[in-house]
Amino acid sequence: MNATLCPNCNDEIIKNFCSNCGQKKFKRIDKKYIWDEIQYTTIHTNKGLLYTLKNLVVNPGKTARQFIDGCRVNHYKPILLVFLLSGISTFISIKFLNFSEILKKQYESQQMSAEFANEIVHFIASYNSLIMLALVPIFASFTKIGFFKWGHNYYEHIVINAYFLSFYIVLIMIFVYPIMYFVKDNPVLYGQMSQYFMLLVPILLFWFFCGFYPERSKKSVFWSVLLTLIVTVIGFGIVMTLAVIVGVVMAMAAGPEALEMFKPKTVK
């Protein structure tokens, strides 16, 4: 194979990429080049998004394990995947499932002020993708504790949780959203269905980690998942308590008018 000079660093390119800087071997831009760029930029069909989604649905734990073990060239980046899927999920839920209005009604039924309910809904709608990303390192600390003797470090658990959260979002969009579309005018049933699907999380976690740790017994996976769930409940109890305290302190600092949002509505 004839060697060419890298147009980026002038090092010799023997095969398709420069071994020094990673620059791809020069190729004149043509129709195929443009088409490949469109695919890569939009859905990365040649080896990324669709490939990863398919494998997530079939065997999410195995998909995450392959990425952790170094088989990464064909997979979509896990952190980016969470951001992308949560954005798509939010768009669908707001535009087609009346999520904002249903959430407002639920908060109002709990005697929260309309202004406070609107602030919460607006925050969730605007920053849901960032919220999902923020949850990944938090969940990673929980699974790291639950599987603390199983050989993966905290940063690997971030990737593991990114894949699990992506898997969870995909399942919601495929199986739950179509059903919720038909009950979007019934806030009570809508909320109940959301809660029922949350009850499946322990089962999904067990399935995920059985695929991630095929060399381990299902019994040992079960106990580690159980420990993870216990730590998660305790951890989120602490986080929610701190969040309420910080919210109240910030509202007090903002003035008496901010505290009015936390007051329940007067039922006449």
Side-chain angles (χ1 to χ4, degrees):
M1 182 178 293
N2 295 329
T4 59
L5 293 180
C6 173
N8 185 53
C9 69
N10 290 324
D11 203 27
E12 192 175 65
I13 300 179
I14 305 299
K15 295 184 178 180
N16 291 325
F17 293 89
C18 175
S19 60
N20 182 48
C21 69
Q23 169 70 40
K24 192 174 182 179
K25 187 176 181 180
F26 172 79
K27 180 182 178 183
R28 187 173 180 179
I29 296 175
D30 53 15
K31 180 179 178 180
K32 185 178 183 303
Y33 176 88
I34 296 298
W35 176 241
D36 289 342
E37 284 295 302
I38 291 173
Q39 291 186 85
Y40 187 91
T41 303
T42 54
I43 55 178
H44 203 174
T45 53
N46 55 338
K47 56 177 67 174
L49 181 58
L50 296 183
Y51 177 85
T52 302
L53 292 178
K54 179 193 71 174
N55 283 278
L56 271 179
V57 174
V58 175
N59 196 330
K62 181 180 178 181
T63 302
R65 182 63 178 267
Q66 287 177 340
F67 192 90
I68 292 292
D69 289 345
C71 184
R72 300 169 187 170
V73 68
N74 291 328
H75 291 287
Y76 206 75
K77 302 298 183 183
I79 303 298
L80 181 59
L81 187 63
V82 173
F83 187 82
L84 175 64
L85 291 177
S86 57
I88 295 173
S89 174
T90 302
F91 175 80
I92 294 174
S93 62
I94 291 176
K95 293 296 183 180
F96 300 103
L97 302 180
N98 292 338
F99 174 75
S100 297
E101 293 302 319
I102 289 173
L103 201 59
K104 287 179 185 178
K105 291 179 181 178
Q106 289 179 346
Y107 284 130
E108 290 171 0
S109 68
Q110 297 171 6
Q111 306 303 311
M112 289 186 180
S113 71
E115 185 181 358
F116 184 55
N118 286 330
E119 289 290 334
I120 294 177
V121 172
H122 178 73
F123 179 81
I124 294 175
S126 301
Y127 301 103
N128 186 63
S129 294
L130 295 177
I131 294 172
M132 292 296 103
L133 284 179
L135 288 175
V136 170
I138 297 175
F139 284 132
S141 63
F142 299 150
T143 56
K144 172 61 179 172
I145 295 173
F147 294 85
F148 66 98
K149 290 183 178 180
W150 291 36
H152 290 96
N153 62 41
Y154 171 72
Y155 302 100
E156 289 170 326
H157 274 275
I158 289 179
V159 172
I160 292 170
N161 280 273
Y163 271 116
F164 177 78
L165 189 54
S166 297
F167 163 62
Y168 182 77
I169 294 173
V170 169
L171 287 189
I172 288 178
M173 290 193 292
I174 293 176
F175 297 106
V176 179
Y177 279 6
I179 300 174
M180 286 187 166
Y181 178 79
F182 293 101
V183 299
K184 61 182 180 180
D185 297 323
N186 188 333
V188 175
L189 184 58
Y190 188 103
Q192 289 176 344
M193 292 186 60
S194 300
Q195 293 173 0
Y196 291 152
F197 192 73
M198 286 293 295
L199 295 176
L200 294 177
V201 170
I203 299 174
L204 297 177
L205 275 171
F206 178 71
W207 178 30
F208 180 91
F209 280 105
C210 280
F212 190 87
Y213 291 111
E215 72 278 7
R216 301 278 185 165
S217 69
K218 288 181 171 56
K219 182 179 179 181
S220 60
V221 172
F222 171 81
W223 287 113
S224 291
V225 168
L226 181 61
L227 176 58
T228 298
L229 292 172
I230 293 173
V231 173
T232 300
V233 171
I234 296 173
F236 266 94
I238 296 173
V239 170
M240 292 303 296
T241 301
L242 292 176
V244 171
I245 294 173
V246 171
V248 172
V249 170
M250 291 178 64
M252 291 176 64
E257 62 279 1
L259 288 173
E260 292 295 324
M261 292 194 303
F262 292 92
K263 293 183 179 180
K265 297 186 302 180
T266 302
V267 179
K268 297 181 180 180

